[in-house]
Amino acid sequence: MAKGLAFVALSLIIGVLQSANAEVPAIFILGDSTVDVGTNNYLPDSNITANFPHNGVDFPFQRATGRFSNGLNTADFLAKFFGFKRSPVSFLSLNGTLAIKKRRFRGVNFASAGSGLLDITGQTSTQKANVVPMGEQVYQFSMVYNDLVASKGTSEAQNFLSKSLIFISVGSNDIVGNHYSKNPIPKEQFIPNLAVVYEKHLRNLISVGARKFGIISVPPVGCCPSQRVSANGECLKELNDQAEAFFSTMDTLMRNLSYENKDIKYSLGNTFNITKPVIDNPQNSSFTDVKNACCGNGTLHCTPLASLCSNRHKYLFWDLFHPTQAASRLAASILFVGDSRFATPINFSQLAEA
């Protein structure tokens, strides 16, 4: 995204922070590693973790919290734009005790790195607690709902959730996993199948009080450093085609769902349209390297022994799969105040007022 739009977006954010925060009592986040703040740290069998250096090198006190980033991720910045300090803590970090209080409880993050819409995504045949799949995250949300009802009563709990925001960033791992499976399902069948599962999860969330959804669609995953390795340095077109198809399918799904449920409000974020122009024309952005990973240099995983770039704010990618803090900030800011090219039918800031 061009410097001009990024500047305008950040300027507009300053003007809407206070009003948006007043309308948002809590934020709930579901999805994968793009918004995970450390869930997998609490899964003993998971090997999909980031609670070690160089992760977190730009986080306060250089803490490796479990975020797949040099600092904050998209969930953190979205929360900050609504007046929160950063993303709410991981559900699993609460050890089953939410301690919901009328004035202090402000949400939970359920996201789990490696997870997807499908229960099998991110799992292995020998490790069934490798990730927390979307279905389990939705179940955890229902547990929060029950605790809210017990604490506040049904009417107040439902009112609380009706004003809260539900951010969901999921789908990338399903698409990549299917592409590299032994018997990949064709795009024309697989993407609609994902939408059916997504709809089931959304309906389950609606049944326990969720009303405002910020849906983050799949970015151009074919351009991640991990995919360029197998495409002679270029973006893997097949994966990008599936990402675009996923957005179109989600657009139809959300339109139909909101038509059926009149009290549902949503913003569908198009991170493909946000990210692909930066990759195609980096000279129009603040990034100078849009192909390689800052940690690991694009061919190796980010580990404490991996090489680390010094100008991290100039890199689009942090590791083989994930954006840098700078890229996450830009994406979140465009989702927050962007026009219909990047969020439809309204943007994320307008969602708070809807």
Side-chain angles (χ1 to χ4, degrees), residues 9-127:
L10 291 171
S11 299
L12 289 172
I13 285 170
I14 296 174
V16 298
L17 277 178
Q18 292 183 341
S19 60
N21 184 41
E23 298 295 327
V24 183
I27 288 176
F28 299 93
I29 298 163
L30 302 91
D32 54 30
S33 56
T34 55
V35 288
D36 182 4
V37 295
T39 291
N40 289 13
N41 299 348
Y42 301 91
L43 299 176
D45 294 326
S46 183
N47 58 1
I48 308 176
T49 57
N51 55 345
F52 51 82
H54 299 293
N55 297 297
V57 64
D58 295 311
F59 197 83
F61 305 105
Q62 295 188 321
R63 286 186 293 139
T65 60
R67 291 166 170 83
F68 290 75
S69 171
N70 56 305
L72 301 179
N73 63 21
T74 303
D76 291 309
F77 283 112
L78 285 174
K80 284 171 71 69
F81 295 155
F82 284 102
F84 293 66
K85 182 178 181 180
R86 62 176 72 101
S87 166
V89 298
S90 164
F91 175 81
L92 294 185
S93 72
L94 298 170
N95 196 29
T97 305
L98 289 177
I100 292 174
K101 298 180 180 179
K102 290 184 178 180
R103 295 184 179 180
R104 295 188 62 185
F105 178 71
R106 304 206 68 191
V108 183
N109 187 314
F110 306 94
S112 172
S115 69
L117 291 160
L118 305 176
D119 286 346
I120 61 171
T121 299
Q123 307 285 16
T124 67
S125 58
T126 58
Q127 293 178 228

Side-chain angles (χ1 to χ4, degrees), residues 71-344:
L72 301 179
N73 63 21
T74 303
D76 291 309
F77 283 112
L78 285 174
K80 284 171 71 69
F81 295 155
F82 284 102
F84 293 66
K85 182 178 181 180
R86 62 176 72 101
S87 166
V89 298
S90 164
F91 175 81
L92 294 185
S93 72
L94 298 170
N95 196 29
T97 305
L98 289 177
I100 292 174
K101 298 180 180 179
K102 290 184 178 180
R103 295 184 179 180
R104 295 188 62 185
F105 178 71
R106 304 206 68 191
V108 183
N109 187 314
F110 306 94
S112 172
S115 69
L117 291 160
L118 305 176
D119 286 346
I120 61 171
T121 299
Q123 307 285 16
T124 67
S125 58
T126 58
Q127 293 178 228
K128 293 305 182 184
N130 205 37
V131 302
V132 182
M134 190 69 179
E136 178 65 18
Q137 294 179 38
V138 173
Y139 173 72
Q140 291 172 348
F141 182 90
S142 72
M143 295 173 63
V144 172
Y145 170 75
N146 291 336
D147 283 350
L148 282 168
V149 170
S151 173
K152 299 173 178 289
T154 301
S155 179
E156 188 174 344
Q158 291 180 344
N159 182 61
F160 179 85
L161 288 176
S162 71
K163 297 178 180 178
S164 299
L165 300 182
I166 318 297
F167 296 140
I168 306 177
S169 179
V170 70
S172 296
N173 293 325
D174 299 288
I175 290 174
V176 174
N178 176 65
H179 178 77
Y180 288 105
S181 66
K182 292 182 179 179
N183 297 295
I185 302 172
K187 175 184 68 176
E188 294 73 19
Q189 179 183 351
F190 186 68
I191 299 301
N193 287 351
L194 283 185
V196 169
V197 179
Y198 211 140
E199 181 178 0
K200 181 190 73 172
H201 294 321
L202 289 170
R203 289 186 181 277
N204 286 338
L205 289 168
I206 291 169
S207 72
V208 287
R211 292 295 181 269
K212 294 186 176 184
F213 296 93
I215 306 294
I216 303 173
S217 192
V218 175
V221 288
C223 295
C224 291
S226 59
Q227 307 311 315
R228 288 181 182 271
V229 172
S230 59
N232 296 318
E234 301 300 321
C235 295
L236 199 57
K237 185 177 184 300
E238 171 59 25
L239 285 179
N240 284 351
D241 288 346
Q242 294 204 36
E244 289 193 282
F246 185 80
F247 176 84
S248 297
T249 302
M250 285 303 301
D251 189 25
T252 301
L253 167 60
M254 295 309 299
R255 288 173 187 269
N256 292 340
L257 194 63
S258 64
Y259 180 79
E260 177 185 336
N261 300 270
K262 300 301 184 181
D263 58 342
I264 298 303
K265 305 298 180 182
Y266 76 93
S267 176
L268 176 60
N270 192 336
T271 52
F272 193 99
N273 279 359
I274 293 173
T275 310
K276 194 60 163 61
V278 174
I279 294 172
D280 292 340
N281 298 288
Q283 68 276 10
N284 295 331
S285 75
S286 61
F287 299 101
T288 56
D289 194 320
V290 298
K291 293 184 176 182
N292 300 300
C294 172
C295 183
N297 199 30
T299 58
L300 300 173
H301 287 282
C302 184
T303 69
L305 298 179
S307 61
L308 179 67
C309 70
S310 59
N311 53 339
R312 293 181 284 278
H313 63 289
K314 293 294 185 180
Y315 275 68
L316 185 66
F317 291 100
W318 165 241
D319 57 19
L320 290 174
F321 307 98
H322 305 99
T324 57
Q325 174 175 264
S328 293
R329 180 191 292 111
L330 176 60
S333 67
I334 303 301
L335 291 172
F336 193 70
V337 293
D339 61 33
S340 59
R341 292 171 296 170
F342 312 111
T344 184

